[in-house]
Amino acid sequence: MAEEIKKPLKITETVLRDAHQSLIATRMTTEQMLPIIDKMDKVGYHAVECWGGATFDASLRFLKEDPWERLRKLRDGFKNTKLQMLFRGQNILGYNHYADDVVEYFVQKSIANGIDIIRIFDCFNDLRNLQTAVNAVKLVKKENPKAHAQIALSYTLGDAYTLEYWEKTAKAIEEMGADSICIKDMAGLLVPYEATKLVKALKAGSNLPIEMHTHYTSGVASMTYLKSVEAGADIIDTAMSPFSMGTSQPATEVMVETFKGTPYDTGLDQKLLAEIAAYFQPMREEALKSGLMNTKVLGVNIKTLLYQVPGGMLSNLVSQLKDAGAEDKYQEVLEEIPRVRKDYGEPPLVTPSSQIVGTQAVLNVLQGERYKMITKESKKVLSGEFGKTIKPFNEEVQKKAIGDKEPITCRPADLIEPQLEKYRNDPIVKQYARQDEDVLSYALFPQVATEFFKYREAQESKVDSKKVDSENKAYPV
């Protein structure tokens, strides 16, 4: 009998980014991360995802930390492990499109401060919105061979999302010059046997490594990973057990044990993983005690599969309806979401499209008339400001939203003038900037960054006055 060919599975660890973003609203601090880095660096992960996504905003807004400083500290600690970030294409880490010069500069600075792999996605899977970021990584790669551009495709369901669509898109991604492909199943919609077909289609379309990313929200994630790996997936995203399951990823230790003794054996040391899990366990318990980790996000939410709506979006809807005193309309809103999504060209439901579709569905139900009131963000979508959806918009709804305004059909960023110099010369940046990177923090989140800059300055003044006091005490006049 022929010996089985070994193909060790690679693991990307998400505990320092997506896991705590999914379970405790991105509130893990840099100080909580640093003591365990040395151990995590010995594991032999393919990469550790530790930056991007919501971590940038949350660091500035809630933790009063400089996200760039966090990245540099993580880079100092991880001597042997690649660091990965999540990047929203032309939106970078914000919610609007930025000019190409800002996107390029953000990519350069991310890699210069320690990122190796930039995972780039677009809420419409409009590849035009990813090209600038991919090109920017390729440019840096000439000087820094470790720089890696991964394109993440937001997984969703609908008539247009056929296996041919995925195969064709994989081919286009390879032609763009990306280094790998990730399937980003943010809602936990990918079921095991569909995963087999999907991975095979991606492999038929390109020779790039395939990474799988899913959330446990609907309860099928581990089985989906098993079938994906058997079908040829090269890398999976997992989270250390205290921050796994629920709306996070499958547990790292469980997946390592699953493939032990098979051709996909990861070779990772369970004893070392157990020590790392023991470090994070008290954080989990503390988060549960304080209410930061809500038990609602820890169970299985089968509505995700039934309504094809991400878990985070469901909780948003509940709070919007609660605020309006209309919780009895929940079912109606759930049924309205697929209709709005269809009107908007069937986009994947991921930030920011999930919030836009969800809010519009709530309005349609509460107003008792569809599109009586149309949000500013909905108008942006229907005018083409976010890019091209896989299916055309509903023309009647589009007309109602934007009237006779000519919709954008080119790549939206083609219409944005360079912005970097304008931000550099902004009075706030001139007054408060301490490093080149501050201009990017300000470009993405002007208000939040300004508050943070003022806070940082106040802290520095306190330190300086303490220093003066201690010097005066040491040398009395």
Side-chain angles (χ1 to χ4, degrees):
M1 191 177 151
E3 198 182 324
E4 282 186 292
I5 297 166
K6 287 203 163 93
K7 191 200 167 193
L9 174 66
K10 294 172 180 173
I11 301 270
T12 292
E13 175 60 62
T14 68
V15 73
L16 300 185
R17 205 284 297 176
D18 201 12
H20 74 103
Q21 181 175 318
S22 298
L23 295 181
I24 58 165
T26 332
R27 295 298 200 277
M28 198 184 288
T29 65
T30 305
E31 291 311 309
Q32 286 177 305
M33 296 174 185
L34 295 178
I36 197 62
I37 287 176
D38 192 44
K39 269 189 181 149
M40 287 180 73
D41 197 33
K42 293 184 173 81
V43 171
Y45 289 121
H46 166 68
V48 169
E49 190 195 54
C50 61
W51 210 61
T55 62
F56 199 93
D57 183 4
S59 293
L60 291 168
R61 191 188 299 263
F62 302 115
L63 306 176
K64 294 291 180 262
E65 289 186 6
D66 177 9
W68 298 100
E69 190 55 32
R70 170 182 292 188
L71 177 53
R72 291 190 283 265
K73 285 178 176 174
L74 293 171
R75 181 71 282 165
D76 286 346
F78 281 107
K79 307 276 193 277
N80 312 300
T81 311
K82 288 181 202 157
L83 299 185
Q84 178 174 304
M85 75 172 289
L86 183 66
F87 191 100
R88 295 184 190 130
Q90 211 68 32
N91 290 4
I92 309 179
L93 302 174
Y95 304 102
N96 295 303
H97 280 213
Y98 291 89
D100 288 341
D101 61 343
V102 179
V103 174
E104 288 156 2
Y105 194 52
F106 203 100
V107 166
Q108 289 162 20
K109 283 297 179 186
S110 300
I111 296 171
N113 281 278
I115 289 296
D116 299 293
I117 301 168
I118 299 192
R119 175 179 288 174
I120 311 156
F121 81 99
D122 175 70
C123 71
F124 287 174
N125 289 334
D126 184 344
L127 300 187
R128 300 173 309 167
N129 293 337
L130 306 174
Q131 188 70 66
T132 298
V134 171
N135 290 350
V137 177
K138 280 162 72 179
L139 199 62
V140 176
K141 201 172 184 167
K142 290 176 181 173
E143 302 293 319
N144 178 353
K146 279 165 68 178
H148 179 112
Q150 179 181 81
I151 283 189
L153 290 169
S154 301
Y155 180 74
T156 192
L157 304 167
D159 313 338
Y161 297 93
T162 60
L163 290 173
E164 288 73 27
Y165 162 81
W166 295 112
E167 184 178 330
K168 205 172 100 191
T169 307
K171 187 175 190 297
I173 287 170
E174 188 166 22
E175 285 165 1
M176 277 173 78
D179 299 300
S180 61
I181 296 172
C182 170
I183 280 293
K184 179 179 165 59
D185 178 24
M186 57 284 164
L189 297 177
L190 183 58
V191 293
Y193 287 98
E194 289 304 314
T196 300
K197 294 178 205 167
L198 177 60
V199 172
K200 286 182 173 169
L202 295 172
K203 287 280 180 185
S206 102
N207 293 309
L208 298 177
I210 305 295
E211 182 155 0
M212 300 302 286
H213 173 94
T214 190
H215 291 249
Y216 225 105
T217 321
S218 61
V220 298
S222 293
M223 294 182 281
T224 295
Y225 275 170
L226 180 61
K227 298 309 284 181
S228 299
V229 172
E230 288 174 352
D234 305 277
I235 314 156
I236 58 172
D237 289 5
T238 64
M240 288 308 304
S241 54
F243 283 92
S244 70
M245 315 283 279
T247 51
S248 178
Q249 279 76 48
T252 305
E253 307 95 305
V254 174
M255 297 317 298
V256 166
E257 198 62 26
T258 298
F259 294 107
K260 201 173 171 182
T262 75
Y264 313 108
D265 196 326
T266 63
L268 303 191
D269 178 358
Q270 285 284 25
K271 188 172 170 297
L272 182 55
L273 291 174
E275 289 171 21
I276 296 166
Y279 175 80
F280 286 108
Q281 189 60 36
M283 274 187 227
R284 175 195 172 90
E285 283 159 20
E286 185 53 44
L288 279 166
K289 207 162 82 180
S290 69
L292 187 56
M293 189 185 284
N294 189 322
T295 49
K296 279 182 185 163
V297 301
L298 298 177
V300 167
N301 190 339
I302 194 61
K303 288 194 178 95
T304 298
L305 286 180
L306 299 179
Y307 298 108
Q308 299 170 25
V309 174
M313 188 176 166
L314 285 171
S315 50
N316 262 354
L317 294 179
V318 171
S319 67
Q320 282 179 330
L321 290 171
K322 199 174 179 180
D323 291 346
E327 287 167 278
D328 57 321
K329 305 280 189 197
Y330 183 59
Q331 192 60 37
E332 276 181 69
V333 171
L334 280 179
E335 286 160 15
E336 177 64 4
I337 286 169
R339 293 194 285 264
V340 174
R341 181 175 170 240
K342 201 166 185 187
D343 291 338
Y344 289 14
E346 259 183 34
L349 294 177
V350 62
T351 304
S353 56
S354 51
Q355 290 89 330
I356 296 167
V357 168
T359 303
Q360 191 60 54
V362 169
L363 277 178
N364 287 0
V365 168
L366 294 185
Q367 299 279 325
E369 182 190 318
R370 302 188 77 225
Y371 304 109
K372 183 179 179 183
M373 197 174 145
I374 300 175
T375 66
K376 190 174 76 191
E377 285 74 20
S378 281
K379 287 175 182 174
K380 280 185 180 180
V381 167
L382 293 163
S383 67
E385 275 187 49
F386 284 100
K388 191 170 185 271
T389 47
I390 186 164
K391 283 190 158 182
F393 300 135
N394 177 326
E395 283 181 16
E396 276 177 51
V397 174
Q398 187 182 34
K399 183 128 181 79
K400 204 167 182 183
I402 66 168
D404 295 326
K405 186 182 161 190
E406 194 64 36
I408 296 165
T409 53
C410 64
R411 183 184 73 112
D414 287 342
L415 303 173
I416 306 173
E417 293 291 322
Q419 296 170 315
L420 196 54
E421 282 313 306
K422 186 189 80 174
Y423 287 122
R424 279 191 173 129
N425 292 313
D426 189 288
I428 296 283
V429 173
K430 287 220 174 272
Q431 183 180 350
Y432 291 108
R434 298 270 183 282
Q435 56 184 351
D436 291 346
E437 291 80 1
D438 285 342
V439 72
L440 290 165
S441 302
Y442 182 74
L444 264 57
F445 302 105
Q447 237 176 322
V448 175
T450 303
E451 290 304 310
F452 170 73
F453 295 156
K454 288 176 180 172
Y455 168 83
R456 182 174 64 185
E457 191 166 88
Q459 295 304 106
E460 285 166 0
S461 300
K462 277 185 198 169
V463 170
D464 288 346
S465 62
K466 273 185 187 169
K467 198 175 161 195
V468 169
D469 284 352
S470 66
E471 283 171 357
N472 288 343
K473 279 173 193 163
Y475 304 101
V477 177

